[in-house]
Amino acid sequence: MIDISDIKLSNAQIAWRAAQDIQDGAYVNLGIGFPEMVASYQPEGREVIFHTENGVLGFGAAPAPGEEDWDLINAGKKAITQKPGTSFFHHADSFAMVRGGHLDVAILGAYQIAQNGDLANWSTGKGGIPAVGGAMDLVQSAKRVAVVTDHITKKGDPKLVESCTMPLTGVGCVTRIYSSLAVVDIANNRFVLREKIPAISLDDLQALTGAELYTNEGVDDLICPEDLL
Amino acid sequence: MIDISDIKLSNAQIAWRAAQDIQDGAYVNLGIGFPEMVASYQPEGREVIFHTENGVLGFGAAPAPGEEDWDLINAGKKAITQKPGTSFFHHADSFAMVRGGHLDVAILGAYQIAQNGDLANWSTGKGGIPAVGGAMDLVQSAKRVAVVTDHITKKGDPKLVESCTMPLTGVGCVTRIYSSLAVVDIANNRFVLREKIPAISLDDLQALTGAELYTNEGVDDLICPEDLL
Amino acid sequence: MDITVATPREVIQQIPDGATVMIGGFGGSGAPIELVHALIDHGAKHLTVVNNNAGNGHVGLAALIEQGQVDKLICSFPRSADPTVFVEAYKANKIALEIVPQGTLAERIRCGGAGIPAFYTPTAYGTEVAEGKPVEEFEGRPYIRERWLKADYALIKGDVGDRHGNMTYRMAARNFNPIMATAAKVTIAQVSRVVDAGGIDPEHVVTPGIFVNHLVEIANPAQEEELNRAEAVYP
Amino acid sequence: MDITVATPREVIQQIPDGATVMIGGFGGSGAPIELVHALIDHGAKHLTVVNNNAGNGHVGLAALIEQGQVDKLICSFPRSADPTVFVEAYKANKIALEIVPQGTLAERIRCGGAGIPAFYTPTAYGTEVAEGKPVEEFEGRPYIRERWLKADYALIKGDVGDRHGNMTYRMAARNFNPIMATAAKVTIAQVSRVVDAGGIDPEHVVTPGIFVNHLVEIANPAQEEELNRAEAVYP
């Protein structure tokens, strides 16, 4: 199997690519960890309003070290800041926004994504302590649910699969995957390849994917700024 | 049948009697119209906090004529005032208070009250335009639901009945009736007479009541200030 | 980001015939009179309107009904000081009426905005309002099941709004406005004053901007109660 | 009317063994550390605790678990920077865990306070969290039914409180506190500052006093994050 370690996109590049699809004025929730990086790559001239499950809308970037106020954190318990237009609300109101379909985009990480849009990202199913947080609410109700992820696991197994073997976070919810090798849409219960990095062949990409990649609508080159590492 | 017009209590006296049972610190909702009079007769030294369905808690009395602010009204659309401790909230939160059982007392008017606690007070059932407002929420969920009412209708029919013939507002909800002749509790699906005005005999009171009045727990005199007319 | 518009007309005119429109307010308090009058000017017909009441006098919702634009009204209390317009339309079978207990109406709207298609309430159990609705016992007490309520448009009235759509309200004029803002596909708000983002303390925002699509400043909004005392008629 | 008390101890001591206790906060933000520490001092055991998380380090909820006072935890996310205490108790089968998706947890609590015994949500449909729960379709989409969540006690943390119990919160420390206040038989609140009635603008009250039973001023409350960075241990 092909070694992709030298050609795959960095997390920053994946985040950059995901950020390009977020429209001006969108209300967006970013999952804890890697997905949070998407906030750093908003294109100039677009104003995006970020939601965090713990009751803040329109928050600003992380404060300088030492400037943290621990009453003002995001869902990952990291310090954030206020900016003009910020609002605070309680948890039931926060999830009324989520469940009521008011968020334009939710971007999450993934263990597995199935070709029917099923997502597994909360539990490896191998014992340990399950922790679901707000992911099950977000994936079932945001207007658009996207995933940022490595294309394969550290062991080399496909993360894009025919059907998930790990416990599901939500059914039929993901519509776009930004992976370290490609941009893949989910439509009509199949993976539709939209973009791939030029350094990988279609055959190699298919070999690293657990279900058929449909290419009949045309595949563009996935080009990201090279200095994002 | 006995003519009670000269001996029955005035609405003010009924309201006064109902007010005596409201404890210090109670959260209370008073129905539109006659029940609102209860607020005028709170015993000295007790602080009662009034709720109105349209989103105000702890409001004050009516403003002087000409001083009305029509953004500050009660459920009867009458102008009210703020006072220290007032709070504003939206309608879903207001009825969360109601439905969640947070109100200590709701006092309403009545067309009919049945001996099992059923209340009819929203529709005569004779055509016309039905208008339920917040009554169905209040009667089903306040910790204590009481009624202030004439003992009989203008035509002389009993308002305390075996079972309601008019459309119900709530089932098994009323626990005390302050009428123009008596104080009657509802317990174990029967009317238990607690107090009656001295000017009426038990037999006459029973004759004006549509179901049996139980008296075996003792009946006190119902004495109200005479200057409340 | 700036969701403000200069006049009600330019956003109200998108409302098509047959739309379901939530209109905020409790009686005249918090009623977006100027938006409703713009809807009269626009002329959309066969509307289903959700409001706590049925209008008063000959302005606002009453005037909308008087113009024959409302096919159905969903409300809790279609009585008022002067409900002549609604009563006449109702008796002439020109308008359908769905009576909903006030707390159930509020919760149905909140659930519409919060993605909850159905909920159980003790309210109205055993009454004719509950007829035909599923009944279920929880911990030995009976409840009826009610459905969410959503709208195509919500017309609401606030006090201060910023360019993102964050809003505050004024005293009891809050009432149904914040929940209706959440339950419509498109929410159009009038406020007495528009400020820049940051002009409202984040702690004091009642309706976050995510729920508001269009915001128009009506600096000195009419008060329905005062219009009716002056026997105003619209148009 | 004055619901203030001088110390947490005098009200916390009413909490009996076996009680269900909601504890506000999201991680350390809004966590009523001083009330939780008073509960540790009091020593009530076999508690069921409702919180978004499972404690962090060796203070607050983590310390309560470490003292063996918690039989069951209902939460959405039992992970944190240092979840050692919970993890050890869980692996030793000393504590039961009920995992609830965060929005479902929030709504179950709100419903507990709002008198709604059950509601339908799309969240978790088709996942193992939904196993055994009733499923129903509305408008062609499947939902699962969830039940309200109530408690005997809620321990919450606010910013300013007046003598009636009206409260405000501080930024994201609001989180679960206002809804937990509504869902408990007895709500005990700590605030940084107690003021007279009228000391909070009626427009800015987040939790009306009707939901609060006891209010205690803790002028300079500990911040869990800072305690943990200092490697604090309670008691």
Side-chain angles (χ1 to χ4, degrees):
Chain A
M1 189 170 288
I2 179 175
D3 178 0
I4 60 167
S5 55
D6 287 340
I7 59 169
K8 72 171 187 174
L9 301 178
S10 69
N11 280 358
Q13 288 174 311
I14 298 170
W16 176 89
R17 178 62 190 84
Q20 307 313 302
D21 286 346
I22 301 177
Q23 297 306 306
D24 186 39
Y27 287 88
V28 177
N29 184 293
L30 301 176
I32 296 173
F34 169 21
E36 290 180 64
M37 291 178 72
V38 173
S40 304
Y41 300 108
Q42 290 310 303
E44 283 283 315
R46 291 190 208 165
E47 187 174 12
V48 171
I49 296 168
F50 292 105
H51 169 268
T52 182
E53 296 95 297
N54 54 317
V56 191
L57 200 62
F59 57 87
E67 300 289 309
E68 299 91 349
D69 183 326
W70 297 108
D71 281 347
L72 185 53
I73 59 176
N74 66 11
K77 277 99 177 176
K78 296 201 196 86
I80 54 174
T81 51
Q82 294 186 45
K83 64 178 189 180
T86 298
S87 58
F88 300 121
F89 35 86
H90 63 55
H91 247 87
D93 282 349
S94 182
F95 280 91
M97 285 177 199
V98 174
R99 201 187 308 99
H102 303 281
L103 291 177
D104 295 301
V105 186
I107 300 181
L108 299 93
Y111 295 148
Q112 292 179 320
I113 314 101
Q115 59 186 348
N116 67 350
D118 288 359
L119 173 67
N121 82 343
W122 76 287
S123 165
T124 57
K126 289 181 206 152
I129 294 178
V132 62
M136 286 188 180
D137 304 277
L138 285 160
V139 300
Q140 219 52 273
S141 297
K143 286 177 194 157
R144 186 164 82 83
V145 176
V147 156
V148 286
T149 181
D150 269 323
H151 202 85
I152 55 176
T153 68
K154 282 175 187 158
K155 287 185 183 169
D157 294 327
K159 297 184 95 172
L160 284 67
V161 295
E162 279 195 359
S163 64
C164 294
T165 55
M166 293 169 127
L168 293 186
T169 307
V171 296
C173 52
V174 176
T175 56
R176 178 161 274 201
I177 301 158
Y178 303 96
S179 86
S180 49
L181 301 176
V183 176
V184 177
D185 280 349
I186 292 171
N188 302 317
N189 296 311
R190 57 194 202 182
F191 290 128
V192 181
L193 180 63
R194 298 294 183 194
E195 302 172 15
K196 69 169 186 60
I197 59 171
I200 195 164
S201 71
L202 254 179
D203 285 349
D204 284 343
L205 183 63
Q206 180 64 69
L208 296 170
T209 305
E212 189 174 357
L213 289 168
Y214 283 77
T215 59
N216 39 349
E217 294 180 43
V219 179
D220 291 327
D221 281 344
L222 170 52
I223 311 285
C224 298
E226 288 185 12
D227 54 346
L228 298 177
L229 294 172
Chain B
M1 188 170 287
I2 179 176
D3 179 359
I4 61 166
S5 56
D6 286 341
I7 59 169
K8 72 171 188 174
L9 300 178
S10 67
N11 280 358
Q13 288 174 311
I14 299 170
W16 176 89
R17 178 62 191 84
Q20 307 313 302
D21 287 347
I22 301 176
Q23 298 306 304
D24 186 40
Y27 287 88
V28 178
N29 184 293
L30 301 176
I32 296 172
F34 170 21
E36 288 180 65
M37 292 178 71
V38 173
S40 304
Y41 301 109
Q42 290 310 302
E44 283 281 317
R46 291 190 207 165
E47 187 173 12
V48 171
I49 295 168
F50 292 105
H51 169 267
T52 183
E53 294 96 300
N54 54 318
V56 192
L57 201 61
F59 56 88
E67 301 289 310
E68 298 92 349
D69 183 325
W70 297 109
D71 281 347
L72 185 53
I73 59 175
N74 66 12
K77 278 99 178 176
K78 295 200 195 87
I80 54 175
T81 52
Q82 294 186 45
K83 65 179 188 180
T86 299
S87 58
F88 300 120
F89 34 86
H90 64 55
H91 247 86
D93 281 350
S94 182
F95 280 90
M97 286 177 198
V98 174
R99 200 186 311 98
H102 303 282
L103 291 177
D104 295 301
V105 188
I107 300 181
L108 299 95
Y111 295 148
Q112 293 180 319
I113 314 100
Q115 61 185 349
N116 67 349
D118 288 358
L119 172 67
N121 83 342
W122 77 288
S123 165
T124 58
K126 289 181 207 151
I129 294 178
V132 63
M136 287 189 180
D137 304 275
L138 285 160
V139 301
Q140 219 54 272
S141 297
K143 286 176 194 156
R144 185 165 83 79
V145 176
V147 155
V148 288
T149 181
D150 270 322
H151 201 85
I152 55 176
T153 67
K154 281 175 189 160
K155 287 187 184 170
D157 294 329
K159 297 184 93 171
L160 285 68
V161 296
E162 280 193 359
S163 64
C164 295
T165 55
M166 293 167 128
L168 293 185
T169 307
V171 296
C173 53
V174 176
T175 56
R176 178 161 272 203
I177 302 157
Y178 304 98
S179 87
S180 50
L181 300 176
V183 175
V184 177
D185 280 349
I186 291 170
N188 302 317
N189 296 311
R190 58 195 203 180
F191 290 128
V192 181
L193 181 64
R194 297 295 182 193
E195 303 172 14
K196 69 169 185 62
I197 60 170
I200 195 165
S201 70
L202 254 179
D203 284 351
D204 285 341
L205 184 64
Q206 180 64 70
L208 297 170
T209 305
E212 190 173 357
L213 288 168
Y214 283 77
T215 59
N216 39 348
E217 295 180 41
V219 179
D220 291 328
D221 281 343
L222 170 52
I223 310 285
C224 298
E226 288 185 11
D227 53 346
L228 299 176
L229 295 172
Chain C
M1 187 181 183
D2 186 352
I3 65 161
T4 58
V5 293
T7 64
R9 184 176 176 281
E10 63 199 89
V11 282
I12 290 291
Q13 66 186 10
Q14 69 184 286
I15 300 179
D17 286 0
T20 295
V21 182
M22 291 181 176
I23 300 177
F26 181 86
S29 168
I33 301 271
E34 285 77 7
L35 295 183
V36 175
H37 287 176
L39 182 53
I40 291 173
D41 296 346
H42 166 51
K45 295 202 189 316
H46 305 301
L47 303 173
T48 293
V49 168
V50 182
N51 181 267
N52 187 64
N53 301 99
N56 202 18
H58 300 271
V59 295
L61 175 55
L64 189 70
I65 294 169
E66 196 159 30
Q67 294 301 312
Q69 295 176 249
V70 183
D71 281 4
K72 181 179 179 184
L73 182 66
I74 300 174
C75 80
S76 90
F77 202 81
R79 283 190 207 140
S80 60
D82 175 10
T84 320
V85 165
F86 172 75
V87 169
E88 284 179 7
Y90 182 72
K91 292 194 169 166
N93 287 316
K94 287 182 179 164
I95 190 166
L97 174 66
E98 178 180 344
I99 287 282
V100 183
Q102 197 170 132
T104 299
L105 181 62
E107 192 65 17
R108 287 179 65 192
I109 294 167
R110 180 190 174 273
C111 284
I116 295 171
F119 63 97
Y120 289 86
T121 175
T123 299
Y125 169 75
T127 75
E128 62 186 53
V129 171
E131 278 169 21
K133 291 175 181 164
V135 173
E136 188 150 338
E137 277 197 15
F138 296 97
E139 284 94 44
R141 186 176 178 193
Y143 296 83
I144 63 170
R145 193 168 83 189
E146 293 279 1
R147 297 296 313 280
W148 60 12
L149 194 54
K150 299 190 185 202
D152 300 307
Y153 292 87
L155 308 185
I156 66 166
K157 179 183 181 178
D159 186 24
V160 180
D162 76 17
R163 293 178 190 282
H164 287 195
N166 292 308
M167 286 176 60
T168 67
Y169 299 88
R170 192 165 174 272
M171 303 193 287
R174 192 179 301 194
N175 57 65
F176 281 91
N177 286 296
I179 51 175
M180 287 180 171
T182 72
K185 287 186 202 125
V186 176
T187 292
I188 301 170
Q190 66 171 74
V191 291
S192 299
R193 192 158 57 94
V194 169
V195 296
D196 282 333
I200 303 174
D201 185 329
E203 302 281 8
H204 302 160
V205 171
V206 175
T207 291
I210 193 172
F211 297 122
V212 183
N213 300 87
H214 306 289
L215 187 73
V216 59
E217 182 176 287
I218 305 290
N220 293 295
Q223 182 65 262
E224 185 185 281
E225 184 73 24
E226 284 163 11
L227 291 178
N228 282 327
R229 283 168 187 238
E231 297 183 11
V233 175
Y234 196 88
Chain D
M1 186 181 184
D2 186 352
I3 65 161
T4 59
V5 294
T7 63
R9 185 177 174 282
E10 61 198 89
V11 284
I12 291 291
Q13 66 186 7
Q14 69 184 287
I15 300 178
D17 286 0
T20 296
V21 182
M22 291 179 176
I23 300 178
F26 180 87
S29 168
I33 302 269
E34 284 77 8
L35 296 182
V36 175
H37 288 176
L39 181 54
I40 291 173
D41 297 347
H42 166 50
K45 294 201 188 319
H46 304 302
L47 302 174
T48 294
V49 168
V50 182
N51 182 267
N52 187 65
N53 302 97
N56 202 17
H58 300 271
V59 295
L61 174 55
L64 188 70
I65 294 169
E66 194 158 32
Q67 295 300 311
Q69 294 176 249
V70 183
D71 281 4
K72 182 180 179 184
L73 182 66
I74 300 175
C75 80
S76 89
F77 202 81
R79 285 190 207 139
S80 60
D82 175 11
T84 321
V85 165
F86 172 77
V87 169
E88 285 179 5
Y90 182 74
K91 292 193 170 167
N93 287 317
K94 287 181 179 165
I95 191 165
L97 174 65
E98 178 181 345
I99 286 282
V100 183
Q102 199 170 131
T104 298
L105 181 63
E107 191 64 19
R108 288 180 64 192
I109 294 167
R110 179 190 176 272
C111 284
I116 294 170
F119 62 97
Y120 289 86
T121 177
T123 299
Y125 169 75
T127 75
E128 63 186 51
V129 170
E131 279 170 20
K133 291 174 183 165
V135 173
E136 188 151 337
E137 276 196 17
F138 296 96
E139 284 93 45
R141 186 176 177 192
Y143 297 84
I144 62 170
R145 193 167 84 188
E146 292 279 359
R147 296 296 314 280
W148 61 11
L149 193 55
K150 298 190 186 205
D152 300 307
Y153 293 87
L155 308 184
I156 66 166
K157 178 182 183 179
D159 185 25
V160 180
D162 76 16
R163 292 177 191 282
H164 287 194
N166 294 308
M167 287 175 60
T168 67
Y169 300 86
R170 192 165 174 273
M171 302 191 289
R174 190 180 299 195
N175 56 63
F176 282 90
N177 286 295
I179 52 175
M180 287 181 170
T182 72
K185 287 187 200 122
V186 177
T187 293
I188 301 170
Q190 67 172 73
V191 290
S192 299
R193 192 159 57 95
V194 169
V195 296
D196 283 333
I200 303 174
D201 185 327
E203 302 281 9
H204 303 158
V205 171
V206 175
T207 291
I210 192 170
F211 296 122
V212 184
N213 300 87
H214 305 290
L215 187 72
V216 60
E217 182 176 289
I218 305 289
N220 292 296
Q223 181 65 261
E224 187 184 278
E225 185 73 24
E226 283 163 11
L227 292 177
N228 282 327
R229 282 166 188 241
E231 297 184 12
V233 175
Y234 195 88

